[in-house]
Amino acid sequence: MKNYYIPKYGEFRCIAGACPDSCCAGWEIVLDDASVERYRTVSGGLGERIRQAMAEDADGDVIFAAQDGKCPFWNAEKLCDIHATLGEQALCDTCRKFPRITQDYGDFVEYDLSMECPEAARMLLTLPPEKLQLHWEEHPELAGDMPEYDADRMQQLFEQREMLFQLMRDTRHPALAQLSSCLKLACEWENIPLSECSATDSGTAIFAFLQSCEILTADWRRILEQSAAAQNKLGVISEALDCEIRAFSFDFFYRQYLRAVFADSAILPVQQAAFSVCAVVSICCRLHLITQEQQLRIWQLFLKEIESDSDNVAELKWCLETEEAFSPAALCAYLEKLGDA
Ligand code: SF4
């Protein structure tokens, strides 16, 4: 059995107090069953606090609900009280594994780092195009359940994904043009005729969508307000931003494309990658003269705000399937317009 890894997977180290964000702020922590059982038996004052903090969310999951926008155990030194008092082994799965992501397909496993973590975003988005390669190793044991997918379809998606990877590594053309080519290729594979879609101004629609989403962090609200107030202008894509677009798209295809084996069509992950790039690049262009550090923060916050919120993701997918401004043709046209500046 093969295990696949995103570049630098094994090198990730949490930067804790130096982190510009925190996985302990901005969202609820969903607890796994074993941790819930363990937390019910913790004694003393910390045990009391843990049990008071546990609540049930709308999906029936047990969570630590955010208090004042952050985990109730995140202390003034930006450290975790549970980790400090009971040790790392006492952390729930969510906290112990983040930002590592495991996608187990039964007969192979893929490991990724979530760019909702600023340090993971920095490590992945600054990779040069030639380093956008998966690493793999043979593993003797089956890690999970046997696959429940169509093997031929999976093989087809695997080969298609490799073609998408190659396009994003190819630096003979700008990253935005390459992503537009990915979307056109995905339309061909899915027999979606681009000529039937009339391209409209996706830029305005993308901003309207972002402003309509539930907002989790004050920083993201400020970025949206500043970019809404800025003129709707296009900017020159810097070399650093070009590399970030390639690395983001590579990671997005890695994380999302094979999941189409369980869906009717594989167009949505490519469309969603194009939407995400259009959104982040539009913001970077509006807030021109921003540093690479600020750009990395925008990618990271975009992912934290949109991908980590199931309501926002559901709304986005619905818009991608129904809105003319988010159609493949409209997104291709907008990617090319952004790249022409
Ligand atoms: S977001 Fe990443 S770097 Fe920041 S505290 Fe969490 S794991 Fe560490």
Side-chain angles (χ1 to χ4, degrees), residues 12-16 19-24 98-99 116-120:
F12 174 79
R13 298 288 177 275
C14 170
I15 54 173
C19 179
D21 196 338
S22 172
C23 40
C24 308
F98 186 84
E116 292 160 30
C117 159
E119 178 60 4

